[in-house]
Amino acid sequence: AVTLCGSTVSGSITATGSTGLVLLGGPSTGTCTGNSISGSITAKSNTGGVSIQGDKISGSTTVTGNSGGVTFVSNTASNAVTISTNTGGVSFQKNTIAGALTMNANAGGVSVLNNTGSGSATITVTSLGDRGCEAVWPVINPPQGAIVGFGAIVDRPWVEGTSVVPHPTVDA
């Protein structure tokens, strides 16, 4: 496990291969408060989950290949944020991002809510199908240029030749 709370870090932070929770900051009302980080954050191949909350991050942020879930909440990031190939779900909420946001190939559901940004336009891809949602009706918040939401795979009527048969489909 890795825990860093209420600290000022003049360099970068890398957490790789931890089997416990990687906790970098926390909600302002908790015992673990946010950090001020002048460099970048990299969290890679951790198995106990990653929680980055309430931090001010000057460098880029990369969260890849983790299991156990990822929480990225109430952060202010001055550069690019990449969250990809994680399992266990991703919660990305109430962040201010000045750079580009990239989220892809995350498994276990992705929740993206109430974020703001001043960087270039981005596209967000989210999937709530694994949580039973048949369709996703997203709300676009700047700087997002588009949101593509994938629902659950559901059997629907499908015409094959002269027959109507059930066929697995997905709404996007």
Side-chain angles (χ1 to χ4, degrees), residues 129-146:
D130 63 329
R131 296 185 182 182
C133 296
E134 289 187 19
V136 178
W137 298 95
V139 175
I140 297 175
N141 295 306
Q144 294 168 323

Side-chain angles (χ1 to χ4, degrees), residues 144-164:
Q144 294 168 323
I147 300 175
V148 178
F150 290 89
I153 298 172
V154 178
D155 281 338
R156 293 194 174 92
W158 194 267
V159 176
E160 286 186 7
T162 59
S163 302
V164 177

Side-chain angles (χ1 to χ4, degrees), residues 54-67:
D55 293 319
K56 292 179 181 148
I57 308 160
S58 296
S60 61
T61 302
T62 304
V63 182
T64 60
N66 300 285
S67 60

Side-chain angles (χ1 to χ4, degrees), residues 60-90:
S60 61
T61 302
T62 304
V63 182
T64 60
N66 300 285
S67 60
V70 173
T71 303
F72 196 88
V73 176
S74 299
N75 296 293
T76 301
S78 300
N79 282 294
V81 175
T82 301
I83 300 178
S84 63
T85 63
N86 299 288
T87 60
V90 174

